[in-house]
Amino acid sequence: MLLTFVILYLLVSIGIGLVAALRVHDSRDFVLAGRTLPLYVVTATVFATWFGSETVLGISSTFLKDGLRGIVSDPFGSSLCLIFVGLFFAAKLYRMDLLTIGDYYRRRFGPAVELCISLAIVVSYLGWLSAQIVVIGLVFEVVTAGAISLTWGILIGAVVVLIYTLWGGMFSVAWTNFFQMVIIILGLFYIAWIIADKAGGVGTVVSHAHAAGKFEFWPAPEAKDVLAFIAAAVTMMFGSIPQQDVFQRVTSARSERIAVVGSVAGGTLYFLFAFVPIFLAYSAFLIDPAMVERLMEKDHQHILPTLVMEHTPLFAQIIFFGALLSAVMSTASGTLLAPSVTFTENILKHFVIKRELTDRQFLWLMRGVVAAFSVVVTLFSLKTDSTIYELVVGAYKVTLVAAFVPLVAGLYWRHATTQGALAAIVFGVGIWVPLEIFAPDGLWPPQLAGLLGSVFGMLAGSLLPQWIGHAGVAMRQAHEHATHAHAAAAGTHHVPHDGEHHRKPH
């Protein structure tokens, strides 16, 4: 019965996605939903950016081990990321009328910076999306008591997410996110009501967690602990700002005001609601301590699903796994679309194909990349043995050290130059990678050292004499403008891009 409802839920999600896909007429619809989304949908899809497997299973199980101090990256860092995007980035990027975040780096710093950062963005999604696909496999494994293995569950989950994302793009992502957010909120509040009653009430659970020291947040006053705490916070807080999925959700809004308000509202809602799965998982300590002790040694990510399966009625199980699938699929669809669009627009089109594409050709190229990326991620999901929380938090180290500083400096510092952006990438990645390999547990967390190196690179590269100047960028833009005008006169149709059409790559 439970499996039947899970399958029914997946079919409904696919149906909503395919109906939304009917509104896709060109590549701009596919990537940005035609910039038509109202506030309630933008808020829902921003909320769904992070409310995935790591929120329901990863954060909750990590809290059981390490308390609030262990989840500084998510939800604290990730929710502040969305709020900061709304306050400091949404309006500026919305006005630029871009197709991808990679387009910003090309417009501001030129094609070399675009290529480097676009590659970093694409790579960062591998672990993030894998975490979502693994959980769909976990759901099938749990609800069938192992009849469907984790491997087959992963394959099924990847196919389901691919179907509606492939055809509907951002329209499907946004409207399925709205439907899924409703299921998440109603479903998890219902489960919390049932679990709280079994655990002796909310006050009892909170008191038990407080007595166990789980609410200790700040690190010990020692250099290594403080630096590790800061690194964990900024990885998600800053490293996930220059990301295509966040950018798409904000710039798909109907207006600049909706982009700003929707991002802040979605981030705030995410932070508040992320504590519901934490409450549920910790309640297991009071309801079934033997089960918790067993799974803490084996796989603590199974604690919450096992609690629901063993201690709630069938209807509650249906609601919980529906909400879990909602959370996972809402995140997975966006994180499948984002790197695929970035790779197509900012790498394939400009640096590989190097020829004119009609809008239809570009749209089908993006769909082909979506399918290819889903295969790569599925294979990675089958091979990885990292926890959900590790996959998610680790995903944004590369964009933290490579992309964040050029984004901020480009928007807020008029002296930032192409040379400075390239130096920021070189110093950031050049410091982070060796430390990650040879001294991951040293005094300085690798990603924090890389972030500081990126800041130094931007300052030094921009203020020193310019060997790599803006002249090359200006010449390229003039060439593209001339190419676009010539093509328009010849009647060639181009793909929408940077507020105009896709131009012939240089």
Side-chain angles (χ1 to χ4, degrees):
M1 181 65 72
L2 178 58
L3 179 60
T4 300
F5 276 98
V6 167
I7 293 173
L8 179 62
Y9 172 80
L10 293 176
L11 292 176
V12 170
S13 296
I14 292 174
I16 293 173
L18 293 180
V19 169
L22 298 175
R23 301 182 65 182
V24 175
H25 303 294
D26 56 34
S27 59
R28 198 169 187 78
D29 289 341
F30 188 80
V31 179
L32 298 176
R35 302 189 98 183
T36 61
L37 300 182
L39 177 60
Y40 63 93
V41 176
V42 173
T43 300
T45 195
V46 168
F47 168 85
T49 306
W50 300 141
F51 206 98
S53 62
E54 77 292 342
T55 311
V56 180
L57 301 183
I59 292 176
S60 59
S61 60
T62 302
F63 176 83
L64 294 182
K65 290 175 55 186
D66 305 320
L68 284 181
R69 189 180 300 154
I71 58 173
V72 62
S73 288
D74 193 7
F76 291 94
S78 54
S79 57
L80 282 174
C81 157
L82 298 175
I83 293 171
F84 288 161
V85 166
L87 294 177
F88 303 110
F89 298 93
K92 288 179 176 290
L93 293 174
Y94 190 90
R95 290 179 208 137
M96 296 179 74
D97 196 19
L98 306 168
L99 193 68
T100 68
I101 188 71
D103 290 343
Y104 162 78
Y105 291 102
R106 181 178 67 255
R107 178 182 291 189
R108 183 64 174 83
F109 296 116
V113 175
E114 172 196 15
L115 177 62
C116 294
I117 292 183
S118 295
L119 285 171
I121 289 173
V122 170
V123 169
S124 72
Y125 279 99
L126 190 59
W128 176 255
L129 182 53
S130 294
Q132 316 310 315
I133 301 301
V134 166
V135 171
I136 299 178
L138 176 63
V139 169
F140 277 103
E141 185 180 40
V142 171
V143 301
T144 63
I148 296 178
S149 67
L150 180 63
T151 297
W152 277 105
I154 287 173
L155 293 173
I156 293 170
V159 170
V160 169
V161 173
L162 173 62
I163 289 174
Y164 67 80
T165 307
L166 184 66
W167 295 106
M170 194 60 197
F171 266 123
S172 292
V173 169
W175 286 101
T176 53
N177 281 178
F178 176 70
F179 164 72
Q180 289 157 347
M181 189 189 79
V182 173
I183 299 297
I184 291 168
I185 292 178
L186 296 179
L188 288 185
F189 269 132
Y190 172 71
I191 298 298
W193 177 64
I194 292 177
I195 294 297
D197 183 62
K198 290 181 174 291
V202 175
T204 301
V205 177
V206 172
S207 298
H208 191 281
H210 183 269
K214 297 301 181 181
F215 291 156
E216 294 178 5
F217 182 71
W218 299 109
E222 298 180 6
K224 186 173 182 179
D225 290 336
V226 171
L227 290 173
F229 182 87
I230 295 173
V234 300
T235 298
M236 290 285 284
M237 190 187 306
F238 297 153
S240 49
I241 288 177
Q243 285 289 358
Q244 177 63 18
D245 59 336
V246 177
F247 170 85
Q248 279 181 255
R249 284 167 159 85
V250 170
T251 53
S252 295
R254 183 180 296 166
S255 67
E256 180 182 313
R257 177 183 171 277
I258 289 176
V260 173
V261 175
S263 183
V264 174
T268 304
L269 182 63
Y270 172 76
F271 177 77
L272 296 175
F273 202 71
F275 286 92
V276 176
I278 291 174
F279 168 79
L280 292 174
Y282 197 83
S283 298
F285 266 119
L286 303 180
I287 297 173
D288 194 343
M291 179 269 290
V292 173
E293 183 178 353
R294 182 180 77 253
L295 291 179
M296 287 292 285
E297 296 178 357
K298 182 181 178 182
D299 187 350
H300 55 85
Q301 297 171 139
H302 283 73
I303 290 176
L304 187 50
T306 304
L307 174 70
V308 172
M309 287 294 291
E310 295 182 357
H311 295 279
T312 63
L314 176 62
F315 181 70
Q317 295 172 21
I318 293 170
I319 295 298
F320 172 77
F321 285 105
L324 177 57
L325 283 173
S326 292
V328 174
M329 292 172 63
S330 63
T331 301
S333 56
T335 48
L336 173 59
L337 181 64
S340 305
V341 168
T342 299
F343 185 78
T344 308
E345 158 73 359
N346 300 112
I347 299 174
L348 270 186
K349 186 175 72 67
H350 286 156
F351 298 96
V352 178
I353 297 176
K354 297 183 179 181
R355 66 178 179 84
E356 293 289 352
L357 294 175
T358 66
D359 185 80
R360 183 174 178 81
Q361 288 173 332
F362 185 68
L363 177 59
W364 280 100
L365 180 61
M366 280 192 290
R367 284 173 169 157
V369 173
V370 168
F373 195 77
S374 68
V375 172
V376 172
V377 168
T378 302
L379 294 175
F380 182 80
S381 302
L382 294 172
K383 297 294 183 182
T384 186
D385 57 358
S386 300
T387 67
I388 295 167
Y389 197 81
E390 290 170 342
L391 284 171
V392 169
V393 174
Y396 294 108
K397 292 180 180 179
V398 60
T399 45
L400 175 68
V401 303
F404 176 69
V405 171
L407 175 64
V408 176
L411 289 174
Y412 285 98
W413 189 37
R414 65 185 181 89
H415 298 294
T417 66
T418 299
Q419 180 174 285
L422 290 171
I425 296 170
V426 170
F427 276 88
V429 176
I431 291 174
W432 167 61
V433 171
L435 288 178
E436 195 72 57
I437 295 173
F438 300 109
D441 300 317
L443 174 63
W444 280 91
Q447 72 270 32
L448 184 58
L451 175 62
L452 295 177
S454 183
V455 173
F456 171 79
M458 174 58 75
L459 293 173
S462 297
L463 297 176
L464 289 174
Q466 299 299 295
W467 291 279
I468 304 173
H470 286 290
V473 178
M475 290 174 61
R476 180 185 60 82
Q477 290 175 337
H479 170 72
E480 288 182 341
H481 179 74
T483 302
H484 170 64
H486 173 76
T492 304
H493 180 67
H494 295 271
V495 182
H497 170 69
D498 282 8
E500 301 172 28
H501 288 343
H502 277 287
R503 306 175 177 95
K504 183 177 180 180
H506 180 65

